[in-house]
Amino acid sequence: MTSKDQPAAPASASPSLANRYGGQKRTLSRKAKRTALVVALAAGMGFMAWISTSNATESVTFKDIGYSTPDATLAEVDFQVTKEPATAAKCSVKALDSKFAVVGWKVVDITPNAADAGPDGGRTIAHRATVRTESQAVSGIVDSCWIPDAGK
């Protein structure tokens, strides 16, 4: 073979992969892995405890039942509220027009109810809210319900 047939050698020697990309990465020690696992498990258990206790706090739910619009200035919204019988709540009720714009809004106080009322021990109670409107409403809904001073 002649020198013409051989590929030309590079002018400088190519650096090794370790020089080009750095040395091998160090792995975590067994103690560091164990510590990370314990911290992750403790954080997970803390998160699960927080979830379970937050679900146990006082809550209120609602369900829209129906509505009527007796005239252009009133809307009546029927709904059910489920909560602890001895707890008071508040619900915001909206009346909407055909373009889903709010034409009436009211906050309704839900008083504590008798514990022996109803099959579920007085947890669910029906309400009717009368909302004054600025124009003809075509629907009425409960926007939200909450327990007042639940954060205290």
Side-chain angles (χ1 to χ4, degrees):
M1 231 182 192
T2 65
S3 62
K4 290 182 182 180
D5 297 321
Q6 291 181 357
S12 64
S14 68
S16 70
L17 291 177
N19 288 338
R20 185 179 295 172
Y21 299 111
Q24 212 175 22
K25 303 276 189 232
R26 288 183 28 201
T27 61
L28 291 175
S29 69
R30 179 172 256 168
K31 183 178 180 182
K33 288 180 184 177
R34 188 176 305 131
T35 302
L37 179 64
V38 167
V39 168
L41 285 173
M45 289 173 56
F47 179 72
M48 293 305 291
W50 176 71
I51 292 291
S52 65
T53 58
S54 67
N55 287 342
T57 59
E58 293 182 14
S59 65
V60 59
T61 60
F62 62 90
K63 179 180 179 183
D64 292 320
I65 302 299
Y67 67 91
S68 64
T69 53
D71 62 36
T73 62
L74 285 177
E76 294 176 338
V77 181
D78 296 319
F79 60 101
Q80 289 179 338
V81 176
T82 302
K83 61 178 183 57
E84 288 300 320
T87 305
K90 291 184 182 253
C91 293
S92 64
V93 181
K94 297 191 299 188
L96 307 172
D97 68 6
S98 61
K99 295 180 182 174
F100 302 105
V102 177
V103 294
W105 184 81
K106 181 178 185 178
V107 174
V108 179
D109 291 318
I110 311 297
T111 59
N113 41 317
D116 58 351
D120 65 350
R123 291 183 46 82
T124 302
I125 188 163
H127 289 277
R128 173 173 283 172
T130 303
V131 180
R132 295 221 175 259
T133 61
E134 61 187 34
S135 62
Q136 181 68 45
V138 297
S139 87
I141 61 169
V142 177
D143 184 54
S144 64
C145 290
W146 64 94
I147 304 292
D149 301 327
K152 292 183 181 179

PDB file of all heavy atoms in Angstrom, residues 82-106:
ATOM      1  N   THR A  82     -76.122  20.357  51.737  1.00  0.00           N
ATOM      2  CA  THR A  82     -75.744  19.267  52.633  1.00  0.00           C
ATOM      3  C   THR A  82     -74.575  19.738  53.477  1.00  0.00           C
ATOM      4  O   THR A  82     -73.554  20.161  52.951  1.00  0.00           O
ATOM      5  CB  THR A  82     -75.349  18.010  51.835  1.00  0.00           C
ATOM      6  OG1 THR A  82     -76.450  17.637  51.002  1.00  0.00           O
ATOM      7  CG2 THR A  82     -74.999  16.865  52.759  1.00  0.00           C
ATOM      8  N   LYS A  83     -74.761  19.674  54.803  1.00  0.00           N
ATOM      9  CA  LYS A  83     -73.746  20.129  55.758  1.00  0.00           C
ATOM     10  C   LYS A  83     -74.048  19.487  57.101  1.00  0.00           C
ATOM     11  O   LYS A  83     -75.039  18.785  57.247  1.00  0.00           O
ATOM     12  CB  LYS A  83     -73.765  21.660  55.873  1.00  0.00           C
ATOM     13  CG  LYS A  83     -75.110  22.176  56.381  1.00  0.00           C
ATOM     14  CD  LYS A  83     -75.118  23.658  56.530  1.00  0.00           C
ATOM     15  CE  LYS A  83     -76.417  24.163  57.087  1.00  0.00           C
ATOM     16  NZ  LYS A  83     -76.827  23.617  58.355  1.00  0.00           N
ATOM     17  N   GLU A  84     -73.181  19.730  58.072  1.00  0.00           N
ATOM     18  CA  GLU A  84     -73.466  19.276  59.427  1.00  0.00           C
ATOM     19  C   GLU A  84     -74.690  20.039  59.939  1.00  0.00           C
ATOM     20  O   GLU A  84     -74.784  21.258  59.729  1.00  0.00           O
ATOM     21  CB  GLU A  84     -72.270  19.522  60.346  1.00  0.00           C
ATOM     22  CG  GLU A  84     -71.100  18.601  60.074  1.00  0.00           C
ATOM     23  CD  GLU A  84     -71.452  17.141  60.255  1.00  0.00           C
ATOM     24  OE1 GLU A  84     -72.179  16.797  61.203  1.00  0.00           O
ATOM     25  OE2 GLU A  84     -71.010  16.330  59.426  1.00  0.00           O
ATOM     26  N   PRO A  85     -75.633  19.366  60.605  1.00  0.00           N
ATOM     27  CA  PRO A  85     -76.884  20.026  61.009  1.00  0.00           C
ATOM     28  C   PRO A  85     -76.679  21.257  61.897  1.00  0.00           C
ATOM     29  O   PRO A  85     -77.401  22.238  61.769  1.00  0.00           O
ATOM     30  CB  PRO A  85     -77.643  18.933  61.760  1.00  0.00           C
ATOM     31  CG  PRO A  85     -77.090  17.658  61.252  1.00  0.00           C
ATOM     32  CD  PRO A  85     -75.664  17.934  60.915  1.00  0.00           C
ATOM     33  N   ALA A  86     -75.696  21.234  62.783  1.00  0.00           N
ATOM     34  CA  ALA A  86     -75.514  22.347  63.717  1.00  0.00           C
ATOM     35  C   ALA A  86     -74.688  23.492  63.133  1.00  0.00           C
ATOM     36  O   ALA A  86     -74.450  24.491  63.805  1.00  0.00           O
ATOM     37  CB  ALA A  86     -74.836  21.840  64.986  1.00  0.00           C
ATOM     38  N   THR A  87     -74.272  23.383  61.892  1.00  0.00           N
ATOM     39  CA  THR A  87     -73.409  24.374  61.267  1.00  0.00           C
ATOM     40  C   THR A  87     -74.209  25.319  60.386  1.00  0.00           C
ATOM     41  O   THR A  87     -75.084  24.887  59.642  1.00  0.00           O
ATOM     42  CB  THR A  87     -72.345  23.660  60.406  1.00  0.00           C
ATOM     43  OG1 THR A  87     -71.650  22.727  61.223  1.00  0.00           O
ATOM     44  CG2 THR A  87     -71.366  24.637  59.817  1.00  0.00           C
ATOM     45  N   ALA A  88     -73.885  26.601  60.458  1.00  0.00           N
ATOM     46  CA  ALA A  88     -74.480  27.594  59.559  1.00  0.00           C
ATOM     47  C   ALA A  88     -73.629  27.660  58.292  1.00  0.00           C
ATOM     48  O   ALA A  88     -72.446  27.328  58.309  1.00  0.00           O
ATOM     49  CB  ALA A  88     -74.535  28.951  60.234  1.00  0.00           C
ATOM     50  N   ALA A  89     -74.237  28.081  57.201  1.00  0.00           N
ATOM     51  CA  ALA A  89     -73.519  28.203  55.928  1.00  0.00           C
ATOM     52  C   ALA A  89     -74.040  29.420  55.182  1.00  0.00           C
ATOM     53  O   ALA A  89     -75.040  30.028  55.577  1.00  0.00           O
ATOM     54  CB  ALA A  89     -73.693  26.939  55.102  1.00  0.00           C
ATOM     55  N   LYS A  90     -73.356  29.756  54.118  1.00  0.00           N
ATOM     56  CA  LYS A  90     -73.790  30.817  53.205  1.00  0.00           C
ATOM     57  C   LYS A  90     -73.647  30.297  51.790  1.00  0.00           C
ATOM     58  O   LYS A  90     -72.729  29.529  51.492  1.00  0.00           O
ATOM     59  CB  LYS A  90     -72.943  32.076  53.379  1.00  0.00           C
ATOM     60  CG  LYS A  90     -73.174  32.775  54.698  1.00  0.00           C
ATOM     61  CD  LYS A  90     -72.377  34.066  54.769  1.00  0.00           C
ATOM     62  CE  LYS A  90     -72.593  34.723  56.103  1.00  0.00           C
ATOM     63  NZ  LYS A  90     -73.417  35.890  56.030  1.00  0.00           N
ATOM     64  N   CYS A  91     -74.571  30.702  50.921  1.00  0.00           N
ATOM     65  CA  CYS A  91     -74.528  30.307  49.516  1.00  0.00           C
ATOM     66  C   CYS A  91     -74.750  31.539  48.645  1.00  0.00           C
ATOM     67  O   CYS A  91     -75.602  32.374  48.958  1.00  0.00           O
ATOM     68  CB  CYS A  91     -75.607  29.274  49.193  1.00  0.00           C
ATOM     69  SG  CYS A  91     -75.358  27.688  50.005  1.00  0.00           S
ATOM     70  N   SER A  92     -73.984  31.643  47.579  1.00  0.00           N
ATOM     71  CA  SER A  92     -74.221  32.715  46.619  1.00  0.00           C
ATOM     72  C   SER A  92     -75.067  32.148  45.486  1.00  0.00           C
ATOM     73  O   SER A  92     -74.776  31.100  44.933  1.00  0.00           O
ATOM     74  CB  SER A  92     -72.911  33.300  46.099  1.00  0.00           C
ATOM     75  OG  SER A  92     -72.186  32.341  45.381  1.00  0.00           O
ATOM     76  N   VAL A  93     -76.140  32.875  45.170  1.00  0.00           N
ATOM     77  CA  VAL A  93     -77.110  32.448  44.174  1.00  0.00           C
ATOM     78  C   VAL A  93     -77.122  33.494  43.064  1.00  0.00           C
ATOM     79  O   VAL A  93     -77.120  34.700  43.324  1.00  0.00           O
ATOM     80  CB  VAL A  93     -78.515  32.314  44.805  1.00  0.00           C
ATOM     81  CG1 VAL A  93     -79.533  31.852  43.788  1.00  0.00           C
ATOM     82  CG2 VAL A  93     -78.468  31.354  45.985  1.00  0.00           C
ATOM     83  N   LYS A  94     -77.109  33.019  41.798  1.00  0.00           N
ATOM     84  CA  LYS A  94     -77.081  33.920  40.652  1.00  0.00           C
ATOM     85  C   LYS A  94     -78.285  33.672  39.750  1.00  0.00           C
ATOM     86  O   LYS A  94     -78.713  32.534  39.577  1.00  0.00           O
ATOM     87  CB  LYS A  94     -75.823  33.714  39.819  1.00  0.00           C
ATOM     88  CG  LYS A  94     -74.544  34.014  40.534  1.00  0.00           C
ATOM     89  CD  LYS A  94     -73.331  34.048  39.618  1.00  0.00           C
ATOM     90  CE  LYS A  94     -73.050  32.765  38.915  1.00  0.00           C
ATOM     91  NZ  LYS A  94     -71.765  32.785  38.187  1.00  0.00           N
ATOM     92  N   ALA A  95     -78.776  34.754  39.160  1.00  0.00           N
ATOM     93  CA  ALA A  95     -79.776  34.676  38.101  1.00  0.00           C
ATOM     94  C   ALA A  95     -79.073  35.097  36.813  1.00  0.00           C
ATOM     95  O   ALA A  95     -78.325  36.080  36.794  1.00  0.00           O
ATOM     96  CB  ALA A  95     -80.949  35.595  38.396  1.00  0.00           C
ATOM     97  N   LEU A  96     -79.295  34.322  35.741  1.00  0.00           N
ATOM     98  CA  LEU A  96     -78.597  34.557  34.474  1.00  0.00           C
ATOM     99  C   LEU A  96     -79.579  34.856  33.356  1.00  0.00           C
ATOM    100  O   LEU A  96     -80.695  34.337  33.348  1.00  0.00           O
ATOM    101  CB  LEU A  96     -77.768  33.324  34.102  1.00  0.00           C
ATOM    102  CG  LEU A  96     -76.797  32.798  35.157  1.00  0.00           C
ATOM    103  CD1 LEU A  96     -76.198  31.474  34.714  1.00  0.00           C
ATOM    104  CD2 LEU A  96     -75.715  33.806  35.427  1.00  0.00           C
ATOM    105  N   ASP A  97     -79.129  35.675  32.388  1.00  0.00           N
ATOM    106  CA  ASP A  97     -79.972  35.933  31.218  1.00  0.00           C
ATOM    107  C   ASP A  97     -79.614  34.957  30.101  1.00  0.00           C
ATOM    108  O   ASP A  97     -78.816  34.033  30.298  1.00  0.00           O
ATOM    109  CB  ASP A  97     -79.862  37.396  30.774  1.00  0.00           C
ATOM    110  CG  ASP A  97     -78.506  37.767  30.203  1.00  0.00           C
ATOM    111  OD1 ASP A  97     -77.644  36.878  30.037  1.00  0.00           O
ATOM    112  OD2 ASP A  97     -78.295  38.964  29.925  1.00  0.00           O
ATOM    113  N   SER A  98     -80.178  35.163  28.916  1.00  0.00           N
ATOM    114  CA  SER A  98     -79.983  34.216  27.813  1.00  0.00           C
ATOM    115  C   SER A  98     -78.546  34.183  27.307  1.00  0.00           C
ATOM    116  O   SER A  98     -78.138  33.228  26.649  1.00  0.00           O
ATOM    117  CB  SER A  98     -80.934  34.550  26.661  1.00  0.00           C
ATOM    118  OG  SER A  98     -80.657  35.859  26.190  1.00  0.00           O
ATOM    119  N   LYS A  99     -77.754  35.200  27.613  1.00  0.00           N
ATOM    120  CA  LYS A  99     -76.339  35.221  27.203  1.00  0.00           C
ATOM    121  C   LYS A  99     -75.427  34.830  28.361  1.00  0.00           C
ATOM    122  O   LYS A  99     -74.236  35.060  28.320  1.00  0.00           O
ATOM    123  CB  LYS A  99     -75.969  36.603  26.686  1.00  0.00           C
ATOM    124  CG  LYS A  99     -76.715  36.973  25.426  1.00  0.00           C
ATOM    125  CD  LYS A  99     -76.338  38.343  24.948  1.00  0.00           C
ATOM    126  CE  LYS A  99     -77.133  38.683  23.718  1.00  0.00           C
ATOM    127  NZ  LYS A  99     -76.920  40.053  23.283  1.00  0.00           N
ATOM    128  N   PHE A 100     -75.994  34.244  29.406  1.00  0.00           N
ATOM    129  CA  PHE A 100     -75.287  33.789  30.612  1.00  0.00           C
ATOM    130  C   PHE A 100     -74.657  34.933  31.399  1.00  0.00           C
ATOM    131  O   PHE A 100     -73.738  34.717  32.176  1.00  0.00           O
ATOM    132  CB  PHE A 100     -74.229  32.725  30.284  1.00  0.00           C
ATOM    133  CG  PHE A 100     -74.796  31.522  29.609  1.00  0.00           C
ATOM    134  CD1 PHE A 100     -74.613  31.322  28.256  1.00  0.00           C
ATOM    135  CD2 PHE A 100     -75.555  30.605  30.317  1.00  0.00           C
ATOM    136  CE1 PHE A 100     -75.152  30.217  27.627  1.00  0.00           C
ATOM    137  CE2 PHE A 100     -76.096  29.495  29.701  1.00  0.00           C
ATOM    138  CZ  PHE A 100     -75.895  29.311  28.355  1.00  0.00           C
ATOM    139  N   ALA A 101     -75.162  36.137  31.196  1.00  0.00           N
ATOM    140  CA  ALA A 101     -74.708  37.271  31.996  1.00  0.00           C
ATOM    141  C   ALA A 101     -75.482  37.266  33.315  1.00  0.00           C
ATOM    142  O   ALA A 101     -76.662  36.900  33.368  1.00  0.00           O
ATOM    143  CB  ALA A 101     -74.950  38.580  31.258  1.00  0.00           C
ATOM    144  N   VAL A 102     -74.816  37.687  34.383  1.00  0.00           N
ATOM    145  CA  VAL A 102     -75.455  37.732  35.704  1.00  0.00           C
ATOM    146  C   VAL A 102     -76.368  38.958  35.739  1.00  0.00           C
ATOM    147  O   VAL A 102     -75.928  40.085  35.549  1.00  0.00           O
ATOM    148  CB  VAL A 102     -74.401  37.803  36.818  1.00  0.00           C
ATOM    149  CG1 VAL A 102     -75.066  37.919  38.173  1.00  0.00           C
ATOM    150  CG2 VAL A 102     -73.506  36.579  36.776  1.00  0.00           C
ATOM    151  N   VAL A 103     -77.662  38.712  35.980  1.00  0.00           N
ATOM    152  CA  VAL A 103     -78.626  39.812  36.078  1.00  0.00           C
ATOM    153  C   VAL A 103     -79.174  39.949  37.491  1.00  0.00           C
ATOM    154  O   VAL A 103     -79.948  40.863  37.777  1.00  0.00           O
ATOM    155  CB  VAL A 103     -79.783  39.645  35.059  1.00  0.00           C
ATOM    156  CG1 VAL A 103     -79.264  39.774  33.643  1.00  0.00           C
ATOM    157  CG2 VAL A 103     -80.502  38.322  35.251  1.00  0.00           C
ATOM    158  N   GLY A 104     -78.765  39.065  38.379  1.00  0.00           N
ATOM    159  CA  GLY A 104     -79.149  39.134  39.784  1.00  0.00           C
ATOM    160  C   GLY A 104     -78.234  38.244  40.603  1.00  0.00           C
ATOM    161  O   GLY A 104     -77.789  37.201  40.134  1.00  0.00           O
ATOM    162  N   TRP A 105     -77.939  38.687  41.826  1.00  0.00           N
ATOM    163  CA  TRP A 105     -77.009  37.939  42.672  1.00  0.00           C
ATOM    164  C   TRP A 105     -77.376  38.188  44.119  1.00  0.00           C
ATOM    165  O   TRP A 105     -77.747  39.307  44.490  1.00  0.00           O
ATOM    166  CB  TRP A 105     -75.584  38.406  42.386  1.00  0.00           C
ATOM    167  CG  TRP A 105     -74.517  37.674  43.102  1.00  0.00           C
ATOM    168  CD1 TRP A 105     -73.989  36.478  42.762  1.00  0.00           C
ATOM    169  CD2 TRP A 105     -73.821  38.092  44.271  1.00  0.00           C
ATOM    170  NE1 TRP A 105     -73.008  36.128  43.649  1.00  0.00           N
ATOM    171  CE2 TRP A 105     -72.884  37.109  44.584  1.00  0.00           C
ATOM    172  CE3 TRP A 105     -73.901  39.212  45.093  1.00  0.00           C
ATOM    173  CZ2 TRP A 105     -72.041  37.199  45.678  1.00  0.00           C
ATOM    174  CZ3 TRP A 105     -73.058  39.299  46.179  1.00  0.00           C
ATOM    175  CH2 TRP A 105     -72.141  38.299  46.454  1.00  0.00           C
ATOM    176  N   LYS A 106     -77.269  37.137  44.932  1.00  0.00           N
ATOM    177  CA  LYS A 106     -77.648  37.260  46.339  1.00  0.00           C
ATOM    178  C   LYS A 106     -76.891  36.228  47.158  1.00  0.00           C
ATOM    179  O   LYS A 106     -76.673  35.101  46.709  1.00  0.00           O
ATOM    180  CB  LYS A 106     -79.156  37.028  46.489  1.00  0.00           C
ATOM    181  CG  LYS A 106     -79.691  37.158  47.879  1.00  0.00           C
ATOM    182  CD  LYS A 106     -81.205  36.955  47.895  1.00  0.00           C
ATOM    183  CE  LYS A 106     -81.787  37.199  49.259  1.00  0.00           C
ATOM    184  NZ  LYS A 106     -83.239  37.055  49.252  1.00  0.00           N
TER     185      LYS A 106
END
